[in-house]
Amino acid sequence: MEITAKDLVQYFYSVVDVIEKEKDYLSELDRHLGDGDHGVTMSIGFQSVKEKLDVDLANETDCGKISTTVGMTFLNAVGSSVGPLYATGFMRGGMVVKGKEVLNDENLTEYWIAFVKGVKERGQANVGEKTMIDTLEPFGKALQESFTSTNNFKKAFHKALQAAKEGMESTKELLSKKGRSSRLGERSKGAQDPGATSAYFIIKAFEKIL
């Protein structure tokens, strides 16, 4: 399959839409574990991205530039810890598809694996610590394994998305080990992690262009 720069722009519009739709839910999840502002923070970041998409990226043909610009824009709009995480992910993804107007199965797999690695390196978190890594690392691992065996990005992506969903849902029963919520101890159990949830929404939105 092939994804064009225009498709990639449409993908980011889909992310803007889903974050706006789910911002209250994300903030509700965050009220159990943090400041209760995760949805608002994500919305602020992606509304800035929307402005960039409307104006500067509407006719951009370089997939790498689109992704890198989205990452930088999100970072500039969001001062919280989530800003550098997504910025690093989208910028790392952007680096591997730099200069490409059309992305094939291999490019798309490399893009998402670079995204996951970037977020993980920046956040220094591991699976089991109740963070977005509980969604992203199983996603990246399943994508890599499935693509290696099938050479079909679409099939591999759907399989990886299932792994991501299971990872996200697993955070309900985990103790928070990172950030402010780690101070809650046992009280952090029973609540799904907002960061793991928004990470799932962001990757799931990619389905719309497949």
Side-chain angles (χ1 to χ4, degrees), residues 179-206:
R180 218 166 276 171
S181 59
S182 60
R183 294 183 298 210
L184 292 171
E186 283 290 331
R187 284 179 299 150
S188 65
K189 269 192 169 182
Q192 187 166 293
D193 183 68
T197 308
S198 60
Y200 177 71
F201 289 151
I202 284 170
I203 50 180
K204 185 171 170 55
F206 203 70

Side-chain angles (χ1 to χ4, degrees), residues 6-183:
K6 270 193 170 22
D7 293 328
L8 194 59
V9 168
Q10 282 311 309
Y11 158 63
F12 284 116
Y13 273 122
S14 294
V15 174
V16 171
D17 290 345
V18 75
I19 293 299
E20 208 52 34
K21 185 179 158 213
E22 303 289 356
K23 72 177 176 184
D24 292 342
Y25 172 60
L26 292 171
S27 289
E28 179 58 35
L29 289 177
D30 198 30
R31 274 192 274 282
H32 295 288
L33 297 167
D35 294 341
D37 63 353
H38 183 67
V40 174
T41 302
M42 294 297 290
S43 171
I44 289 167
F46 278 104
Q47 285 304 306
S48 286
V49 166
K50 183 180 184 298
E51 287 173 23
K52 235 6 170 191
L53 295 170
D54 288 344
V55 183
D56 298 350
L57 297 176
N59 299 306
E60 181 55 61
T61 57
D62 180 342
C63 290
K65 190 172 178 189
I66 292 165
S67 191
T68 302
T69 304
V70 165
M72 284 302 298
T73 304
F74 188 83
L75 178 62
N76 291 337
V78 176
S80 72
S81 57
V82 78
L85 296 171
Y86 281 122
T88 305
F90 287 127
M91 287 163 75
R92 290 283 183 87
M95 282 162 66
V96 300
V97 296
K98 189 178 175 185
K100 293 184 186 297
E101 192 172 342
V102 176
L103 306 179
N104 62 23
D105 285 43
E106 197 173 331
N107 303 146
L108 290 165
T109 304
E110 286 171 356
Y111 175 86
W112 281 111
I113 287 166
F115 173 87
V116 171
K117 283 183 178 169
V119 175
K120 185 172 166 64
E121 282 173 26
R122 189 65 195 246
Q124 297 288 299
N126 295 303
V127 166
E129 293 181 332
K130 203 176 179 104
T131 71
M132 61 172 70
I133 293 303
D134 289 297
T135 296
L136 294 177
E137 193 162 305
F139 167 77
K141 196 175 174 193
L143 182 65
Q144 177 92 69
E145 287 172 0
S146 185
F147 185 71
T148 300
S149 63
T150 65
N151 241 27
N152 182 311
F153 173 77
K154 196 171 179 177
K155 273 187 187 169
F157 186 83
H158 287 309
K159 194 163 186 183
L161 207 51
Q162 188 54 42
K165 186 169 189 258
E166 287 164 13
M168 169 188 74
E169 290 170 348
S170 78
T171 63
K172 286 177 192 165
E173 298 313 314
L174 294 173
L175 283 176
S176 286
K177 305 254 178 85
K178 289 274 178 188
R180 218 166 276 171
S181 59
S182 60
R183 294 183 298 210

